Amino acid sequence: MSGGLLIAGTTSDAGKSVVTAGICRWLVRQGVKVAPFKAQNMSLNSFVTREGAEIGRAQAMQAQAARVEPTALMNPVLLKPGSDRTSQVVLMGRPVGEMSARGFFGASGPAGEPLPGAGPSGERLRGGRQEALLGTVLDCLAQLRGTYDAVICEGAGSPAEINLRRTDIVNMGVARNAGLPVLIVGDIDRGGVFASFFGTVALLSPEDQALVAGFLVNKFRGDVGLLEPGLDMLHGLTDRRTYGVLPFQHGLGIDEEDGLRVSLRGAVRESSVSSPVGADILRVAVCAIPLMSNFTDVDALAAEPGVVVRFVDRAEELADADLVVVPGTRGTVKALEWLRERGLADAIARRAAEGRPVLGICGGYQILGRHIEDEVESRAGHVDGLGLLPVRVRFAREKTLTRPVGEALGEHVEGYEIHHGVAEVSGGDTFMCDAGGNSLDGCRVGAVWGTHWHGSLESDGFRRAFLREVAAAAGRRFVPAPDTSFAALREEQLDRLGDLIEEHADTDALWRLIESGAPQGLPFIPPGAPA
């Protein structure tokens, strides 16, 4: 077997990420050596590979589904929004600068400055920098296809974004250049899936349409028999088959791409329904700060029986919380201002004075410090932090991207770091340390902790020790479950994704599609893409 497949979607959040992961897990269980790929990702939820490259966390999750080590080849272009109009461009795992959407995707007007790493000569391109990256994207995909039996690619947004088609390097642009068959996923839970399927195909050029093999319905509730007449009519209209109808299942939204999609009021992320081991539960309130990044850090807390996690944006919502988490952010100074404007900063300071637990992670850790000197991210210069930890933060132009290992609270702990801020600690107790007790990162003062390490709570022993500390400080009779394994729970979720594909998709037809490409002679559906 040697081939590939592009999973496109009728919309953003149609289920492309989880379907890609599900197909990867199904294939690897069949003995196929498979890898995921997403040419360009826009996400604040990222991960650091073992070689120190930053990629989208969704691609890291898909690599885990494929049982392979994630690399920069799997996500060569990552855009990290810093505002509604600008993003940091991460190329092959390294940041190369900030850019406006107009400058990146292209617009009419004079030629712009070259994007570092774009093209053999860093050429200036009229109409944007994105198309300059097509060679890099195709080279990465070719390397993966030369190494693996199959590569399952994920698109972005919709392939029918007609305003962006000329410079597209993630949907039909990559499919056309690499000769990949395309499967379009639609979220029927949103409604209008048949119109979305038909309209998506009908807005593509004849050359693009020739690669669209068919459709996959996602999140269906009810009797599939009631859906079949519509699927038959869709086939009659497009002469393209539906490759499966995946049922709606709770708890499959793992490692979403964008924290901005998290509801800001009362959102609960798949908290465990298991009863607490001790007499009490623990309530965790996560401040839904602007440009929130790596909000998946709290997934490991939500996996614990008896721990309830919610996202909040009002000061009064902290009152009954046993632990307040200030998460990572792409805009530390902006998030600090937001906390102050909403009264959350004062509420957090009162908690600290009362000895009630607070945890800051990455940008949240920087916010809890005394001073921030930022001439890089916000260019705000000197800004006073909340002053809860004896830390001064200076933003460096070079981004820290590492996978540290150490000890904390007497337990082994691992994590990953993604930050420009460099912390200078001048007091408090050691938090993350090496085997000799020498500080590696972060600090603690009373019931206030701070660390740059994302993912540390996925270390089971450390998480349990931390929750015992939180419960003691909060006066709760909470007892962590002795056998919760976050890694095992993640594997169970990935296996469920594989089961969805194996049980509800036409896997024989999928196999042929991946191996042989799109069927020949697929008809053109007018009107096609505008000239």
Side-chain angles (χ1 to χ4, degrees), residues 275-334:
S275 300
V277 175
D280 291 339
I281 65 171
L282 276 185
R283 297 177 177 86
V284 178
V286 184
C287 297
I289 56 180
L291 299 173
M292 180 168 47
S293 63
N294 289 69
F295 62 95
T296 47
D297 283 332
V298 299
D299 283 356
L301 295 179
E304 284 285 347
V307 177
V308 178
V309 178
R310 68 182 187 274
F311 288 82
V312 303
D313 63 349
R314 298 189 305 191
E316 55 267 32
E317 293 176 295
L318 303 187
D320 67 343
D322 301 304
L323 170 66
V324 170
V325 177
V326 187
T329 173
R330 174 78 166 86
T332 299
V333 171
K334 182 177 181 178

Side-chain angles (χ1 to χ4, degrees), residues 140-226:
C140 290
L141 179 56
Q143 288 186 57
L144 290 174
R145 295 184 79 178
T147 304
Y148 293 90
D149 299 329
V151 178
I152 308 302
C153 307
E154 179 187 347
S158 163
E161 307 287 359
I162 54 179
N163 56 315
L164 301 176
R165 176 62 185 91
R166 181 174 59 86
T167 57
D168 171 39
I169 64 169
V170 65
N171 290 305
M172 301 311 300
V174 72
R176 281 267 294 279
N177 279 279
L180 294 172
V182 178
L183 201 60
I184 300 177
V185 177
D187 181 354
I188 197 170
D189 199 48
R190 296 181 173 191
V193 75
F194 292 115
S196 298
F197 281 145
F198 182 86
T200 297
V201 177
L203 279 178
L204 300 179
S205 69
E207 295 82 2
D208 287 349
Q209 286 192 24
L211 293 174
V212 178
F215 314 103
L216 189 69
V217 177
N218 191 29
K219 297 184 182 179
F220 180 71
R221 305 173 190 251
D223 183 355
V224 176
L226 298 176

Side-chain angles (χ1 to χ4, degrees), residues 57-383:
R57 186 156 170 121
Q59 279 61 67
M61 175 269 290
Q62 292 161 356
Q64 186 176 353
R67 296 177 180 153
V68 296
E69 189 67 32
T71 72
L73 292 174
M74 297 173 185
N75 180 205
V77 183
L78 173 64
L79 305 180
K80 302 192 73 175
S83 70
D84 291 339
R85 293 179 178 270
T86 64
S87 293
Q88 182 182 68
V89 181
V90 179
L91 178 61
M92 294 304 295
R94 296 290 175 181
V96 295
E98 296 280 333
M99 190 166 289
S100 68
R102 177 178 288 269
F104 185 75
F105 289 103
S108 60
E113 293 299 316
L115 178 68
S121 59
E123 64 269 30
R124 297 169 187 266
L125 289 178
R126 187 176 299 275
R129 281 71 163 183
Q130 187 182 33
E131 56 193 319
L133 299 175
L134 181 60
T136 299
V137 163
L138 294 176
D139 181 62
C140 290
L141 179 56
Q143 288 186 57
L144 290 174
R145 295 184 79 178
T147 304
Y148 293 90
D149 299 329
V151 178
I152 308 302
C153 307
E154 179 187 347
S158 163
E161 307 287 359
I162 54 179
N163 56 315
L164 301 176
R165 176 62 185 91
R166 181 174 59 86
T167 57
D168 171 39
I169 64 169
V170 65
N171 290 305
M172 301 311 300
V174 72
R176 281 267 294 279
N177 279 279
L180 294 172
V182 178
L183 201 60
I184 300 177
V185 177
D187 181 354
I188 197 170
D189 199 48
R190 296 181 173 191
V193 75
F194 292 115
S196 298
F197 281 145
F198 182 86
T200 297
V201 177
L203 279 178
L204 300 179
S205 69
E207 295 82 2
D208 287 349
Q209 286 192 24
L211 293 174
V212 178
F215 314 103
L216 189 69
V217 177
N218 191 29
K219 297 184 182 179
F220 180 71
R221 305 173 190 251
D223 183 355
V224 176
L226 298 176
L227 192 65
E228 287 174 351
L231 299 179
D232 291 340
M233 285 185 275
L234 181 66
H235 184 271
L237 288 167
T238 66
D239 202 24
R240 289 163 172 85
R241 62 176 299 162
T242 297
Y243 282 73
V245 178
L246 308 184
F248 185 98
Q249 286 197 12
H250 290 282
L252 294 182
I254 53 179
D255 288 6
E256 293 96 330
E257 291 189 345
D258 200 341
L260 301 178
R261 294 198 186 103
V262 177
S263 170
L264 295 186
R265 189 163 310 283
V268 179
R269 287 185 51 78
E270 299 301 336
S271 295
S272 173
V273 296
S274 302
S275 300
V277 175
D280 291 339
I281 65 171
L282 276 185
R283 297 177 177 86
V284 178
V286 184
C287 297
I289 56 180
L291 299 173
M292 180 168 47
S293 63
N294 289 69
F295 62 95
T296 47
D297 283 332
V298 299
D299 283 356
L301 295 179
E304 284 285 347
V307 177
V308 178
V309 178
R310 68 182 187 274
F311 288 82
V312 303
D313 63 349
R314 298 189 305 191
E316 55 267 32
E317 293 176 295
L318 303 187
D320 67 343
D322 301 304
L323 170 66
V324 170
V325 177
V326 187
T329 173
R330 174 78 166 86
T332 299
V333 171
K334 182 177 181 178
L336 178 57
E337 293 171 350
W338 182 88
L339 289 168
R340 285 180 167 139
E341 289 169 358
R342 291 177 170 261
L344 285 158
D346 288 339
I348 292 170
R350 286 194 298 271
R351 288 183 61 90
E354 295 165 359
R356 302 176 66 195
V358 177
L359 171 65
I361 302 174
C362 200
Y365 169 39
Q366 297 165 8
I367 286 169
L368 298 182
R370 291 173 179 164
H371 305 290
I372 298 170
E373 194 70 35
D374 182 10
E375 299 292 349
V376 176
E377 190 175 77
S378 68
R379 300 179 183 175
H382 177 85
V383 178

